[in-house]
Every structure is written in structure tokens, then in C-alpha cells.
């Protein structure tokens, strides 16, 4: 596994614009109800009170995809991790407006949550539009590196999916290179169109819409854990 400091350290901002009164109230009232416990082992029983399939989204942005997946599969439990406070507020809005009882949130490092899950306990893991860290000297900060991927692979059930989305050409090439080196994931694309077309069960995010407005292509990678 990679140097732990390259996995554990979070880079970048934690908060953007100042929260409005209603947003602050969501953080104070709803977030404690849906937060992942800060310590101890985690499993479906701990998080949701029953034995259900678990899925995790690493860096959920504004929460659109997380909420969309949770609404599509109400019998699954969803863990969303995001260090950016304004993104957490966005997810809380979706949880409230959609009356989503199957979502738990962690405002911080996703890997700190994932490592507390039992091995082979996840049905899906999502990494959508991660920070590309485009400079070569920052490549170790990318989530698609063997250290984080070793942990994600350990927690995914055989036959489960790891989904990656990006509109950054550098990250696309990097991900193809790193994932191509792994024997524990099989890329599901058979043709170029397979990773240029968003699957029907892949809710669109604001980042995708913004990328297309800017004339960028978006790539959708689906890997099965073997």
C-alpha cells in the first residue's frame, strides 16, 4: 500500500461561501441525524439498523448523484463522503426534500470511513469528477492511485462495481493507466461508446452539465471487482 500520508491527507478548501440561515439550520439539525458515527467499526446494522447492501460515494459534490442513486434503490444504504461543507449542505437539502432515510454522510476523508467497513461489504463504490491535480508533481494526491484502490478493492464484494467519472483528459489517461495495471478490476467497456455514454442508472451531476457547456467530453468508467 502507498505511503499513508498520500492517502490520509486532505487538500484544498473545506468551505466556500458563508452559509445562509436555513443552511446553517440544516447542518445543526439534520446533519447529526444522518452522520456516520465518528468512531468504531461500521456495517449496515450500525448505520441503518438492518442488513442491507451498502454503497459509498467518495466526494459527492453537491449530492445530486448520491440522492439519485438513493432514490432509485431505497432498500440499499448509501454512505456519502465529502470534506467540503457547502457540498454537505447540498446533500442535506436532497435528503430533506426527497425524504431519503437510506443515506448517511461523513464530512471528511472517505477513506477513513471505508477502512472501518468489513471486507467485501460494499455493493458499489463511486468516484465522480475527482480533483484531477493536473500537475505531475501532484499525481500522488489523486484518489486513483494504488494505495486508495487497494483499500476500495478490499471492501468491495466480488462482482460489485467501482464507477469512475471524469471530464479531465489528464485524469482520464491516468485512470486508464493505473486501473489497467490492476488484476482485481475488469473494465466493462467493449467499445469507445460504452464509456462516452452515461448509463441510465447514473444520475447526472452539475459537474457533468458544466463540463458539457464548456465543450468537454465526459468519460464513464465501470469496473467489476474480481
Amino acid at each position: 500500500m502507498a505511503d499513508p500520508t498520500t492517502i490520509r491527507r486532505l487538500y484544498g478548501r473545506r468551505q466556500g461561501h458563508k452559509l445562509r440561515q436555513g443552511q446553517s439550520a440544516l447542518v445543526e439539525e439534520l446533519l447529526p441525524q444522518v452522520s456516520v458515527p465518528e468512531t468504531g467499526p461500521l456495517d449496515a446494522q450500525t448505520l441503518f439498523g438492518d442488513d442491507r447492501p451498502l454503497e459509498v460515494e467518495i466526494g459527492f459534490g453537491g449530492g445530486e448523484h448520491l440522492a439519485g442513486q438513493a432514490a432509485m434503490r431505497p432498500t440499499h444504504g448509501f454512505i456519502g463522503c465529502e470534506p467540503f461543507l457547502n457540498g454537505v449542505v447540498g446533500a442535506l437539502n436532497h435528503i430533506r426534500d426527497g425524504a431519503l432515510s437510506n443515506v448517511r454522510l461523513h464530512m471528511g476523508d472517505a477513506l477513513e470511513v471505508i477502512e472501518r467497513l468489513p471486507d467485501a461489504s460494499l455493493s458499489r463504490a463511486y468516484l465522480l469528477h475527482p480533483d484531477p491535480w493536473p500537475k505531475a508533481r501532484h499525481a500522488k494526491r489523486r484518489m486513483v492511485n494504488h494505495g486508495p484502490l487497494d483499500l476500495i478493492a478490499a471492501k468491495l464484494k466480488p462482482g460489485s462495481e467501482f464507477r469512475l467519472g471524469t471530464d479531465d483528459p489528464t485524469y482520464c489517461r491516468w485512470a486508464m493507466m493505473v486501473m489497467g495495471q490492476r488484476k482485481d478490476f475488469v473494465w466493462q467497456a467493449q467499445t469507445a461508446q460504452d464509456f462516452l455514454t452515461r448509463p441510465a442508472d447514473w444520475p447526472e451531476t452539475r459537474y457533468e452539465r458544466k463540463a458539457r457547456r464548456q465543450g468537454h467530453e465526459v468519460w464513464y468508467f465501470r469496473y467489476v471487482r474480481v
Side-chain angles (χ1 to χ4, degrees):
M1 184 169 289
D3 180 349
T5 60
T6 69
I7 300 173
R8 294 289 178 262
R9 185 177 175 187
L10 287 172
Y11 298 89
R13 300 178 302 164
R14 299 297 296 272
Q15 183 172 348
H17 59 77
K18 185 178 179 180
L19 298 183
R20 299 188 295 273
Q21 183 175 355
Q23 294 174 322
S24 295
L26 269 181
V27 172
E28 293 172 6
E29 298 168 12
L30 182 55
L31 183 57
Q33 299 176 35
V34 300
S35 286
V36 172
E38 294 183 4
T39 60
L42 297 173
D43 56 21
Q45 186 70 40
T46 301
L47 293 168
F48 299 100
D50 56 25
D51 186 18
R52 63 174 67 193
L54 292 178
E55 308 188 22
V56 65
E57 183 163 349
I58 302 167
F60 54 71
E64 303 96 342
H65 176 271
L66 179 67
Q69 292 288 358
M72 281 191 287
R73 287 190 298 289
T75 60
H76 286 213
F78 290 81
I79 307 167
C81 303
E82 171 62 54
F84 192 34
L85 176 59
N86 297 96
V88 171
V89 171
L92 289 171
N93 275 302
H94 289 297
I95 291 170
R96 179 198 60 196
D97 295 345
L100 300 173
S101 62
N102 60 331
V103 179
R104 298 293 180 265
L105 301 181
H106 172 68
M107 192 172 73
D109 185 355
L111 298 179
E112 293 177 354
V113 169
I114 294 171
E115 69 182 0
R116 292 161 59 196
L117 294 166
D119 286 352
S121 63
L122 290 174
S123 295
R124 275 189 192 174
Y126 306 94
L127 176 63
L128 308 183
H129 299 272
D131 193 322
W133 294 107
K135 295 181 180 179
R137 68 176 183 272
H138 293 155
K140 66 180 182 180
R141 300 182 183 181
R142 297 170 186 158
M143 185 61 71
V144 177
N145 268 303
H146 291 301
L149 288 170
D150 286 345
L151 179 60
I152 293 168
K155 304 304 177 179
L156 283 167
K157 297 176 181 179
S160 59
E161 277 195 19
F162 171 54
R163 291 189 173 187
L164 167 67
T166 184
D167 64 294
D168 184 87
T170 299
Y171 210 101
C172 178
R173 292 191 294 270
W174 175 267
M176 291 176 71
M177 177 188 72
V178 173
M179 294 300 295
Q181 295 168 356
R182 301 191 64 92
K183 305 302 182 184
D184 46 4
F185 288 101
V186 175
W187 192 14
Q188 296 304 287
Q190 300 297 317
T191 69
Q193 197 61 34
D194 290 341
F195 65 101
L196 288 170
T197 303
R198 180 166 51 86
D201 64 343
W202 188 315
E204 188 178 38
T205 71
R206 67 183 68 183
Y207 299 104
E208 292 175 63
R209 291 191 294 272
K210 179 180 178 181
R212 290 197 178 87
R213 287 198 302 269
Q214 295 174 340
H216 298 174
E217 283 190 309
V218 180
W219 295 279
Y220 306 90
F221 293 93
R222 295 173 56 240
Y223 294 93
V224 167
R225 174 73 167 95
V226 295

